[in-house]
Structure formats: structure tokens, C-alpha cells
Amino acid sequence: MVVKSVRGRRRYVSYSVPEGTDREDIAPILEGIEPPLKGSKVITCRNGKAVVRCSPGDIPTLTASLSAALGDVRSLDTSGTLHALRMRDPELNAPRRRKR
């Protein structure tokens, strides 16, 4: 496991996005942000909600970029762990993958 001092801190931010938006719609928006957001990634996106991982200082830039590209986007919650974010909002739980 990489230490936070090397990797940096992460935050998981949940957003309300327009219905029908999926990961493939959000990923190009993240890649197009200048300067690039280091370590940002779309975790889940379904049912009008998306979870994006980024560094704490990049949250305002990320929110502004998503709002400009998708329209009505609001930040719902922010957490340091994905588990805590999903515990507070069970709709964000992703279906489990089957083990081989």
C-alpha cells in the first residue's frame, strides 16, 4: 500500500448528474480539464448519481467543469473513503462482481 505522503490524499465526491449520464460521458470531461487533475477517476455513474475520485484541492475545479459540460450538476457529499460515502447513500452501492 502506498503512503499518503507519496500518493497524496484522495476524496470521493458524489454528484447529481442528468439522468442517462454514464461513465463514458464523464471520463472525457475529466481528461479535458486544464491543468490535468492528477489521479481523478470516475468510480460509478448510474441512476442520476456519479462518484468521482480526486484530490481535495481539485474539487472546485472538478465541480465547475462538470457543471459547464453537463448542465445541472450538484455536489451531494464528499468523503475520504468510498465505503463511508456508500454507507451514507446506499444508492451509490455498485453491484458486486462475480469471482471466477
Side-chain angles (χ1 to χ4, degrees):
M1 189 166 160
V2 181
V3 195
K4 286 182 209 167
S5 62
V6 175
R7 181 198 69 207
R9 294 193 179 273
R10 295 179 176 173
R11 292 293 178 262
Y12 296 90
V13 186
S14 65
Y15 290 99
S16 68
V17 294
E19 198 67 38
T21 305
D22 59 0
R23 292 175 76 145
E24 288 75 31
D25 297 331
I26 297 177
I29 297 168
L30 295 180
E31 293 168 4
I33 297 174
E34 288 296 329
L37 303 181
K38 182 181 175 188
S40 63
K41 180 181 178 183
V42 181
I43 305 300
T44 59
C45 184
R46 58 190 178 94
N47 300 333
K49 292 187 179 180
V51 176
V52 181
R53 180 183 70 205
C54 66
S55 65
D58 294 337
I59 294 173
T61 305
L62 177 65
T63 304
S65 297
L66 289 175
S67 293
L70 297 175
D72 187 28
V73 174
R74 289 184 306 116
S75 173
L76 300 175
D77 196 5
T78 303
S79 179
T81 63
L82 189 55
H83 178 73
L85 191 66
R86 287 178 172 165
M87 289 293 290
R88 288 194 293 263
D89 188 356
E91 288 183 11
L92 298 174
N93 283 334
R96 293 195 176 253
R97 295 185 181 182
R98 295 184 85 191
K99 291 185 179 180
R100 294 182 189 200

